Amino acid sequence: MSVLVAFSVSPVGAGEDVGALVAEAVRVVRASGLPNRTDAMFTTVEGESWDEVMAVIKAATEAVKAKSPRVGLVLKLDWRDGVSGALESKVATVERHLAAG
């Protein structure tokens, strides 16, 4: 099984420059050892179970909350049996279609 979750944690009330606080969340994700990718809007994490991935997202959110009076969280989830490596394969499929014209 594969659980792929894109999430965005947003510090609220911590000022306009929140990059350092968002980096705290990304640090937690990277330390988890799970496959992950961060872009301008979301960090995506892949694991073998709901509990495994959600534990990482919870810890990342708590890391931001520890330094911010309020936190917002957005999640998008793809939970699928019999799949692994979705973080890379989904992008590879789109790139293959783009290359084909």
Side-chain angles (χ1 to χ4, degrees):
M1 161 175 27
S2 173
V3 178
L4 192 63
V5 180
F7 78 101
S8 174
V9 59
S10 302
V12 178
E16 192 171 319
D17 184 9
V18 296
L21 294 174
V22 172
E24 294 294 323
V26 174
R27 240 183 230 102
V28 169
V29 172
R30 291 183 179 174
S32 76
L34 295 179
N36 66 84
R37 177 178 296 152
T38 299
D39 61 35
M41 297 289 292
F42 287 91
T43 295
T44 305
V45 182
E46 182 175 16
E48 293 190 22
S49 74
W50 169 272
D51 290 338
E52 178 181 46
V53 173
M54 293 309 290
V56 172
I57 293 170
K58 179 181 180 190
T61 303
E62 288 172 340
V64 175
K65 178 63 179 97
K67 297 183 177 184
S68 178
R70 185 175 179 188
V71 175
L73 178 67
V74 175
L75 297 170
K76 182 175 182 181
L77 178 131
D78 182 359
W79 189 354
R80 193 170 174 195
D81 294 335
V83 173
S84 63
L87 185 66
E88 300 298 328
S89 67
K90 288 181 121 186
V91 174
T93 297
V94 172
E95 291 295 338
R96 186 177 73 246
H97 286 287
L98 288 169

